[in-house]
Amino acid sequence: MAVTIKDVARESGVNVSTVSRALNGEYGVHADTREHVVAVAQRLKYRPNRVARGLVTGRSHTLALVVSDIRNPFFAEVARGAEDAAYRAGYDMLLCNSDLDAEKQMRYAQSLMEKRVDGILMNSVSALSKKQQEQLSGLGVPTVLLNRTAPRSAFSTVCAENEAGGAMAAEYLLKLGHRKIAHLTGPRHHGNMTERAKGFVARLAAARQPVRPEVLHGTNDFPGGVDLARKLMAQNPDVTAIFAASDMMAFGAIRALMEAGRRIPDDVSVMGFDNVELASIVHPPLTTIHQPKYEMGQAAVEILLRLAGRGEHQAPEHRVFGVELVERQSCMERKA
Amino acid sequence: MAVTIKDVARESGVNVSTVSRALNGEYGVHADTREHVVAVAQRLKYRPNRVARGLVTGRSHTLALVVSDIRNPFFAEVARGAEDAAYRAGYDMLLCNSDLDAEKQMRYAQSLMEKRVDGILMNSVSALSKKQQEQLSGLGVPTVLLNRTAPRSAFSTVCAENEAGGAMAAEYLLKLGHRKIAHLTGPRHHGNMTERAKGFVARLAAARQPVRPEVLHGTNDFPGGVDLARKLMAQNPDVTAIFAASDMMAFGAIRALMEAGRRIPDDVSVMGFDNVELASIVHPPLTTIHQPKYEMGQAAVEILLRLAGRGEHQAPEHRVFGVELVERQSCMERKA
DNA sequence: CCTATAATCAAAAACGTTTGCAACGTTTAT
DNA sequence: ATAAACGTTGCAAACGTTTTTGATTATAGG
């Protein structure tokens, strides 16, 4: 039905191998024949079957991005950066939503390597057991982990300076004169979030007059923020500043605080982490720690492409991105 | 290197064809041999090469979603619905960001059919010329258009009741007593946005005391909303209600109004369209027209799967989803 | 006991490419 | 003049499946 390389060969009176070489711009075919073949191919509207090509070359020119949920604006931004980089290199990108579900994650991984993807960009493997992680890295397909420092594993990684970011937040809140401080974060052992907390409390503890923040664990999303903020108001009504481990949690906290009649930043200052687009849209505009999401996605596929290039020889690569505080209007000096 | 069907055949002492049938659960292989083959395959950790399979079957078990930008929360939601449906059916989904750029869109389309995707879910083809559209539909791969009523073309479509939604907004604003009304929308001839505007002005004109809204065209995003709202305040400072054709534009408008010292909803009421997650997060929570984004994505791939199932015989399918007004706190009765 | 039928499997032909190797004619070096 | 080298092309094998066809056996019926 579709026109194949054989049709082009027959029509232009040469062998299929010559057509292949001509069309792929390989060395060793006369300029005249190449020209002729190209013309015929164009006339017949020939389009190579990449599946067939993939079978013999062993490469699919396809990457995969597996995130917990593309609706999370953080991942959407990363995805865009990744896809742009892939597109530029002539690669396509599969999208997978894992919900951080271990079984789903493994099923995806299986399917992806059955399709011979050239590389996988994964959000997190924290839900996976040690054995599953080994199984994954044993698949032999280049993999880079996002927002995860895994120095000793076979995986490459791309992440932000989470710990430094936490410290920056602490520094800022301290500078504004806050002493009663809380930290709202995700589940325990959440990788990068844990790091943020670590940097935050460490910096607070290192102050001239050390402060021990209240840290509450919950789910890393809007409802989680609402929930934790309510809990906080119940048990520690006198906090004047809150640092949330993600913007979404910060939004939730703001909602809960407003509903309780607290003014922001007048009564309580709120900080986030990520700097998603909405951070500048909400009211009040959120002061937060920016991490370069787009660039991180981009960098991840660049690593992937490098890894996929050199066949077996894959020493993992690691890349960490700087963060910066972007000051908006959700924080102010503590009233005297 | 990887273990192939031949290895399984050799190891279990049968022919490859038998292995294939056994593993695919086809008729005509003895229960004992099937059992044995399955056991061997499991022991060898055999994973079928889907590229090879795709070459002979002609199906890739892959769908493609091409949207203008996955960072748009509307598309993220659609994408999630689509991907979930695809996953359930054992399909993978490619993600493409077109930026509504015609050339990029065509390049994607080419690449996708070279990879033999089984179906394409496209955001819009409005940027494409007539000729390009024909070229696209001539590709022979099932395609469903999102948010586009294209009754006469070869494409299937999934969209929301845009016109009715616009009318609902008008009705609501009218009921609140507003008479000086503006509509902020996207570029002219933007398909679904045009329909929203149409329903909106029509309903307004049909009122007992007809009102002619001010309608301004701009870009369909946050900055566009900011921009248009500023323009509006300059030329029509006395409007008391604004209906934006998308939530993102509404957010922009809110920002501009607030910066100008207008209170919402006290001074001016604002409505959006889409009901993205943020709509309930921003302050004030946005009154908007909800469209079932997740379900629309889902429905789109269901259609795609049906189309892909029956080979050539593809009569286009059309599905339109109802919308509903969700009332929050960005609108109030016009002061007497 | 022989044949018709069904069940099970093996053999081989596809699917559409890429690619190593041989063949060929022409030029260059010896 | 002959051999070597080179540039251009064809031939055929490979990639890992599915699927069609055909062969072999077992089962049953007459």
Side-chain angles (χ1 to χ4, degrees):
Chain A
M1 192 195 76
V3 29
T4 85
I5 199 174
K6 286 181 193 165
D7 300 320
V8 179
R10 186 171 359 93
E11 191 70 11
S12 51
V14 305
N15 192 274
V16 292
S17 59
T18 305
V19 175
S20 173
R21 276 188 281 257
L23 261 26
N24 291 335
E26 272 176 47
Y27 178 79
V29 34
H30 195 90
D32 290 351
T33 43
R34 157 167 300 137
E35 209 172 312
H36 177 227
V37 167
V38 169
V40 170
Q42 217 146 29
R43 180 160 55 79
L44 297 190
K45 293 195 203 312
Y46 166 68
R47 296 296 157 191
N49 182 331
R50 300 205 180 261
V51 179
R53 173 194 301 217
L55 180 57
V56 33
T57 63
R59 351 206 62 248
S60 61
H61 269 228
T62 304
L63 267 24
L65 172 68
V66 14
V67 296
S68 46
D69 191 343
I70 190 64
R71 286 173 295 192
N72 182 327
F74 174 81
F75 291 128
E77 183 82 28
V78 171
R80 184 64 211 255
E83 207 271 317
D84 280 0
Y87 179 76
R88 276 194 299 273
Y91 279 68
D92 290 320
M93 207 184 71
L94 285 169
L95 175 66
C96 310
N97 296 100
S98 73
D99 290 323
L100 253 28
D101 177 305
E103 192 196 351
K104 228 176 153 187
Q105 233 159 326
M106 294 309 288
R107 223 183 105 180
Y108 269 126
Q110 274 303 342
S111 168
L112 292 177
M113 70 139 266
E114 286 179 8
K115 285 206 175 152
R116 298 298 190 269
V117 298
D118 297 329
I120 301 181
L121 171 41
M122 265 201 142
N123 165 22
S124 168
V125 290
S126 57
L128 270 39
S129 68
K130 205 85 193 165
K131 192 174 153 210
Q132 285 174 316
Q133 291 196 29
E134 280 168 13
Q135 191 179 339
L136 213 175
S137 64
L139 252 37
V141 28
T143 304
V144 8
L145 263 29
L146 191 66
N147 248 326
R148 191 107 178 88
T149 52
R152 72 182 71 274
S153 77
F155 301 114
S156 295
T157 60
V158 167
C159 71
E161 287 180 328
N162 288 303
E163 199 166 335
M168 287 168 65
E171 186 107 24
Y172 181 69
L173 260 19
L174 245 21
K175 200 189 70 190
L176 290 180
H178 293 280
R179 308 285 310 161
K180 302 284 194 183
I181 300 177
H183 179 45
L184 274 33
T185 185
R188 280 166 221 280
H189 314 301
H190 180 295
N192 50 340
M193 289 217 166
T194 310
E195 288 177 21
R196 288 170 202 173
K198 192 170 153 200
F200 188 67
V201 310
R203 182 64 192 79
L204 251 30
R208 266 209 314 259
Q209 297 181 349
V211 351
R212 271 181 64 102
E214 196 69 27
V215 3
L216 287 85
H217 293 271
T219 63
N220 173 28
D221 50 20
F222 184 81
V226 171
D227 203 45
L228 257 34
R230 284 194 187 132
K231 207 170 289 177
L232 180 69
M233 284 186 291
Q235 67 186 50
N236 285 71
D238 56 343
V239 302
T240 63
I242 297 177
F243 170 46
S246 77
D247 284 353
M248 288 312 279
M249 294 189 79
F251 296 148
I254 289 176
R255 160 61 51 86
L257 291 166
M258 279 181 145
E259 279 179 353
R262 310 288 188 95
R263 289 167 311 163
I264 298 166
D266 310 73
D267 296 333
V268 29
S269 292
V270 177
M271 282 192 72
F273 201 111
D274 282 350
N275 192 29
V276 297
E277 193 194 11
L278 316 51
S280 67
I281 293 177
V282 297
H283 184 82
L286 187 69
T287 293
T288 188
I289 306 290
H290 171 83
Q291 51 175 331
K293 302 161 285 297
Y294 185 93
E295 289 78 6
M296 287 165 70
Q298 217 170 359
V301 335
E302 281 163 9
I303 292 180
L304 237 34
L305 260 23
R306 264 197 298 274
L307 256 37
R310 44 174 205 261
E312 301 305 297
H313 186 66
Q314 5 180 319
E317 254 181 76
H318 302 279
R319 181 97 181 266
V320 18
F321 279 82
V323 299
E324 55 193 41
L325 191 148
V326 3
E327 193 170 7
R328 284 194 269 253
Q329 287 128 56
S330 65
C331 295
M332 64 180 290
E333 291 196 5
R334 184 182 62 134
K335 301 272 177 58
Chain B
M1 195 195 78
V3 28
T4 86
I5 200 175
K6 285 182 195 164
D7 300 320
V8 179
R10 187 171 357 95
E11 191 70 12
S12 50
V14 307
N15 191 276
V16 292
S17 59
T18 305
V19 176
S20 174
R21 274 188 291 258
L23 261 26
N24 291 335
E26 271 176 47
Y27 177 80
V29 35
H30 195 90
D32 291 351
T33 42
R34 157 167 299 136
E35 208 171 315
H36 178 227
V37 167
V38 168
V40 170
Q42 215 145 29
R43 181 159 56 78
L44 298 190
K45 293 195 204 311
Y46 167 68
R47 296 296 157 191
N49 182 331
R50 301 205 179 259
V51 178
R53 174 193 305 218
L55 179 58
V56 35
T57 62
R59 350 207 63 247
S60 61
H61 269 227
T62 304
L63 266 26
L65 171 68
V66 14
V67 296
S68 46
D69 191 343
I70 190 63
R71 287 173 296 192
N72 183 328
F74 174 81
F75 291 128
E77 184 82 27
V78 171
R80 185 62 209 258
E83 207 272 317
D84 279 0
Y87 179 76
R88 275 195 300 273
Y91 279 68
D92 290 319
M93 207 184 70
L94 285 169
L95 175 66
C96 309
N97 297 100
S98 73
D99 290 322
L100 252 29
D101 177 306
E103 192 196 349
K104 228 177 152 186
Q105 234 159 323
M106 294 309 288
R107 223 182 105 181
Y108 269 126
Q110 273 304 343
S111 169
L112 292 177
M113 70 136 263
E114 288 180 7
K115 284 207 175 153
R116 297 298 189 270
V117 296
D118 298 328
I120 301 181
L121 170 43
M122 264 200 145
N123 164 23
S124 167
V125 291
S126 57
L128 269 39
S129 69
K130 206 88 194 161
K131 193 175 154 207
Q132 285 174 315
Q133 291 194 29
E134 280 168 13
Q135 192 179 340
L136 214 176
S137 64
L139 253 35
V141 28
T143 304
V144 9
L145 263 29
L146 190 67
N147 248 326
R148 191 108 176 84
T149 51
R152 73 181 71 272
S153 77
F155 301 113
S156 295
T157 59
V158 167
C159 71
E161 287 181 329
N162 288 303
E163 198 165 335
M168 287 168 66
E171 185 106 26
Y172 180 70
L173 260 19
L174 246 19
K175 201 189 68 191
L176 290 181
H178 293 280
R179 308 286 310 161
K180 302 284 193 183
I181 300 178
H183 179 46
L184 274 34
T185 185
R188 279 167 221 280
H189 315 300
H190 181 293
N192 50 341
M193 288 216 168
T194 310
E195 288 177 20
R196 289 170 202 173
K198 191 171 153 199
F200 187 68
V201 308
R203 182 64 192 81
L204 250 31
R208 264 207 315 258
Q209 296 181 349
V211 352
R212 270 181 65 102
E214 197 70 27
V215 3
L216 287 94
H217 293 271
T219 63
N220 173 27
D221 50 20
F222 184 81
V226 171
D227 203 44
L228 258 34
R230 285 194 186 131
K231 207 169 291 177
L232 181 67
M233 285 186 288
Q235 67 185 51
N236 285 73
D238 57 342
V239 302
T240 65
I242 297 177
F243 170 47
S246 77
D247 284 353
M248 289 311 280
M249 294 189 80
F251 296 148
I254 289 177
R255 159 62 51 86
L257 291 166
M258 279 183 147
E259 278 179 356
R262 310 287 188 96
R263 289 167 311 162
I264 298 165
D266 310 74
D267 296 332
V268 31
S269 292
V270 177
M271 282 192 71
F273 201 112
D274 283 349
N275 191 29
V276 297
E277 194 195 11
L278 315 54
S280 67
I281 292 177
V282 297
H283 184 81
L286 187 70
T287 293
T288 189
I289 306 289
H290 171 83
Q291 52 175 332
K293 302 162 285 296
Y294 184 93
E295 289 78 6
M296 286 165 71
Q298 218 170 0
V301 336
E302 281 163 10
I303 292 180
L304 238 33
L305 260 23
R306 263 196 300 274
L307 255 37
R310 45 176 205 262
E312 302 305 297
H313 187 64
Q314 4 181 319
E317 257 181 72
H318 302 279
R319 180 96 181 266
V320 17
F321 280 81
V323 300
E324 54 193 41
L325 192 148
V326 2
E327 192 170 8
R328 285 194 271 253
Q329 287 127 55
S330 64
C331 296
M332 64 180 289
E333 290 197 6
R334 184 182 60 134
K335 301 271 177 57

